[in-house]
Amino acid sequence: MGSGPLGARVAALCDEVGPRLGVSLQGQVFGVRRRLDEPLRVAIAGRLKAGKSTLVNALIGRRVAPTEVGECTRVVTQFRYGTADRVDVVRRDGSRTSLPLDESGMIPSRLGVPRAEIGYVDVTLTSDHLRDLTVVDTPGLASTNTSVSDGANRFLHTDAAPFDDDIDDDSTGAISGAEAIVYVFTQAVRDDDVRALAAFRSVSARLASNPINSLGLFNKVDKLVGTGDPWPVAGPLAADQARVLRRVVSDVVPVVGLLAETTEAGRLTAADCEALRTLSRLPATERLVLLASVDLFTTRDCAVPRAQRERLLRLLDLYGIGFALAQLAAVPDLASGDLVRALFRASGLPRLRNTLDQAFRWRTDAIKAGWALSALEKIASHATAAADRELLRDGIERVLQQPDYHRLRLLEVAQLVGTGTVELPEPMERELNRLALSTDPEWILDRPGATAPELADAALAAATRWRVYAVAGSGPAQSRVALVVHRGFYLLSQRIRAGTRPQPVPPAVGYEGQAR
């Protein structure tokens, strides 16, 4: 995936100044250059047993990551697109040992390399889901196993690895830091969850402390209400968590990870669907008894063999089974494909994918450009030769003076307001967020269906409002933010009049995958 317009300008800077720097700095600058052409790198972080690997499989669209605690779950594992399926165990010294996927298509349970020597596992897959998104599965944070927790924290801090002697090189190269994070939790967020998010944000450089590159994932919501419908409870709980975490994540999305993995990875077979169909024909009272507990579902006499029922539990758990039986009882001739699609919608994964599109993918250019500029600033600050230092800083300043890079300044002031460092009236905060986090004039200006002249006039009117607020209605901190927003709306007005309206953001979806 190539760079967008912002990333392209930073890439041109790397190409220009890289060959003129000292040898030691050239490699670091060209490393930044390479990263700009790579897909956005998203780290999946969270506690042990939060369901991270299950969600990784759902995002990849294949069951490749082991979900049981074992050797593979104790190391950082990167999943990226490739022309062939391949597993490389990368040692700390950079050497690689290649392994095939096991007979079930998963990473082998034994890696064949002593744990102390492993830097990370690099997995390339032919999954189309990975064409524009590299997914990094991290070990559990706040683990009782110190080495596991330390390994995850090292990964989250590897952005600084080329520069700080006290951070090891385990995750450099292909996983030299993530530009975005999905933090997985179940039930209530705990203090150490918040600290883990803060640790990631503290090394996110230009986007530090900004919710733009962090997303909360409320997993296993099916455990909230037994076998009933969890969404009436999950929705409000996720909204509550989003309010609590609004300064650190862009959104909190509820999901049933197991159901998402099973449906997206194509694990439900025709025999599974037929077993569900058989169960759906039982009297309603018998279905209720079977679904009352795992023990009853597996041990009670039934037309479906126990081994098949145990498999259904592994694939769907009681909530998924109950949901499927209700669908089939209501529509007895429901096709297997339609049943799988209904289960997919019930998992919450459609909303997660859409939120990732909104939160990360369509902001990739700004996120990656901001990351790259910060990386170059770090390189400059650690340069021993004054000439190298000035060459880099002059180039960075030239890039930042270009109008397109005002988007990064908007992200920075949105960060100040979003974290509460600078207070704004709530309507103005919402307007700033729309301007900073979207490229669609109709959505930014809240004028759906408006013509280009109407949008240009509305953008100019917004620029005027913010200018008035900057000079007459605010304190010094608010004034500085307001002047940045004023220029942002003025530039938006110019772009609309010039006829260079960007592609709009995708529509949001609800829990059932329907547009809202």
Side-chain angles (χ1 to χ4, degrees):
M1 182 179 69
S3 299
L6 302 182
R9 292 183 187 274
V10 184
L13 170 63
C14 295
D15 292 339
E16 174 196 343
V17 304
R20 299 159 60 188
L21 296 170
V23 175
S24 63
L25 296 185
Q26 280 188 18
Q28 295 181 39
V29 170
F30 290 145
V32 172
R33 173 67 177 85
R34 286 191 298 272
R35 280 288 296 275
L36 284 165
D37 284 335
E38 295 175 2
L40 186 73
R41 193 169 299 172
V42 177
I44 310 298
R47 297 179 157 282
L48 281 176
K49 299 186 178 181
K52 300 185 302 299
S53 297
T54 299
L55 287 160
V56 165
N57 290 332
L59 290 172
I60 292 171
R62 288 175 56 179
R63 192 166 187 262
V64 179
T67 55
E68 299 296 328
V69 175
E71 186 177 68
C72 298
T73 61
R74 289 182 165 84
V75 296
V76 172
T77 305
Q78 172 184 256
F79 298 88
R80 57 191 177 91
Y81 180 79
T83 56
D85 294 345
R86 175 176 174 142
V87 178
D88 281 354
V89 181
V90 185
R91 293 179 174 83
R92 296 189 184 192
D93 63 7
S95 62
R96 291 174 174 254
T97 296
S98 295
L99 302 171
L101 295 172
D102 68 17
E103 58 186 16
S104 62
M106 300 183 70
I107 298 172
S109 58
R110 306 297 296 176
L111 298 176
V113 176
R115 172 66 188 89
E117 296 180 16
I118 299 174
Y120 63 97
V121 177
D122 183 24
V123 182
T124 58
L125 300 169
T126 56
S127 169
D128 285 341
H129 291 309
L130 295 174
R131 285 185 181 274
D132 60 353
L133 195 70
T134 292
V135 178
V136 184
D137 191 7
T138 68
L141 294 164
S143 165
T144 54
N145 181 326
T146 303
S147 65
V148 173
S149 195
D150 287 350
N153 281 300
R154 278 200 302 272
F155 163 70
L156 292 179
H157 286 76
T158 50
D159 199 32
F163 316 109
D164 295 341
D165 292 337
D166 60 334
I167 299 177
D168 64 44
D169 295 331
D170 282 0
S171 300
T172 55
I175 51 170
S176 59
E179 294 103 354
I181 187 172
V182 172
Y183 193 84
V184 185
F185 61 91
T186 58
Q187 310 260 346
V189 175
R190 289 158 46 168
D191 288 344
D192 48 2
D193 293 318
V194 177
R195 286 196 298 272
L197 272 167
F200 173 83
R201 288 169 22 239
S202 70
V203 296
S204 296
R206 184 173 298 278
L207 299 176
S209 302
N210 194 330
I212 183 176
N213 62 342
S214 300
L215 177 69
L217 200 58
F218 183 11
N219 192 20
K220 302 184 181 181
V221 298
D222 54 314
K223 302 299 185 184
L224 294 172
V225 292
T227 59
D229 182 2
W231 293 112
V233 177
L237 280 178
D240 288 345
Q241 296 291 4
R243 283 190 289 271
V244 171
L245 298 172
R246 65 184 290 265
R247 301 301 189 189
V248 292
V249 298
S250 59
D251 199 1
V252 172
V253 180
V255 70
V256 183
L258 177 63
L259 207 53
E261 179 195 58
T262 293
T263 54
E264 188 70 336
R267 299 187 65 203
L268 210 62
T269 66
D272 297 324
C273 292
E274 193 55 39
L276 289 167
R277 203 177 300 278
T278 300
L279 290 171
S280 72
R281 298 189 187 109
L282 295 173
T285 53
E286 180 63 17
R287 295 199 306 269
L288 282 174
V289 172
L290 281 172
L291 293 172
S293 72
V294 168
D295 284 344
L296 283 169
F297 187 79
T298 55
T299 61
R300 191 172 174 83
D301 288 339
C302 178
V304 175
R306 176 171 178 165
Q308 177 67 66
R309 282 179 279 160
E310 289 173 343
R311 172 177 163 81
L312 290 176
L313 276 172
R314 292 194 298 272
L315 294 175
L316 303 173
D317 212 342
L318 284 177
Y319 165 64
I321 294 169
F323 179 89
L325 297 189
Q327 298 292 305
L328 291 167
V331 185
D333 59 349
L334 185 68
S336 296
D338 291 334
L339 175 62
V340 172
R341 282 187 284 275
L343 287 164
F344 173 67
R345 291 192 296 271
S347 74
L349 191 62
R351 183 189 175 194
L352 171 58
R353 284 204 180 281
N354 185 263
T355 302
L356 284 172
D357 282 337
Q358 293 189 47
F360 295 155
R361 280 195 181 99
W362 67 267
R363 298 181 202 162
T364 292
D365 188 32
I367 291 176
K368 289 180 75 69
W371 171 86
L373 282 177
S374 295
L376 293 176
E377 287 169 351
K378 281 187 177 181
I379 294 171
S381 68
H382 287 77
T384 54
D388 288 344
R389 190 162 53 248
E390 292 307 312
L391 180 63
L392 274 169
R393 286 176 172 166
D394 287 348
I396 292 168
E397 187 59 31
R398 288 199 311 274
V399 169
L400 290 174
Q401 290 301 318
Q402 297 172 9
D404 284 350
Y405 266 81
H406 193 72
R407 171 171 286 282
L408 294 183
R409 291 195 172 92
L410 285 169
L411 294 177
E412 289 169 351
V413 297
Q415 155 192 317
L416 294 174
V417 174
T419 57
T421 304
V422 176
E423 295 288 342
L424 284 179
E426 188 173 336
M428 298 184 77
E429 181 176 348
R430 289 198 300 269
E431 191 173 47
L432 164 57
N433 285 335
R434 290 200 302 270
L435 179 63
L437 303 180
S438 179
T439 58
D440 179 10
E442 293 182 23
W443 189 76
I444 292 170
L445 298 163
D446 197 19
R447 298 286 299 274
T451 65
E454 290 170 341
L455 290 170
D457 289 343
L460 196 57
T464 302
R465 283 198 314 274
W466 281 89
R467 177 71 179 178
V468 170
Y469 180 75
V471 299
S474 61
Q478 288 87 354
S479 178
R480 286 192 291 272
V481 169
L483 288 173
V484 172
V485 182
H486 155 74
R487 178 162 172 76
F489 275 112
Y490 179 75
L491 291 172
L492 177 62
S493 176
Q494 286 188 318
R495 287 198 298 272
I496 296 170
R497 292 191 192 283
T500 56
R501 291 175 60 182
Q503 292 296 314
V505 299
V509 297
Y511 298 122
E512 295 297 316
Q514 302 298 317
R516 58 179 174 85

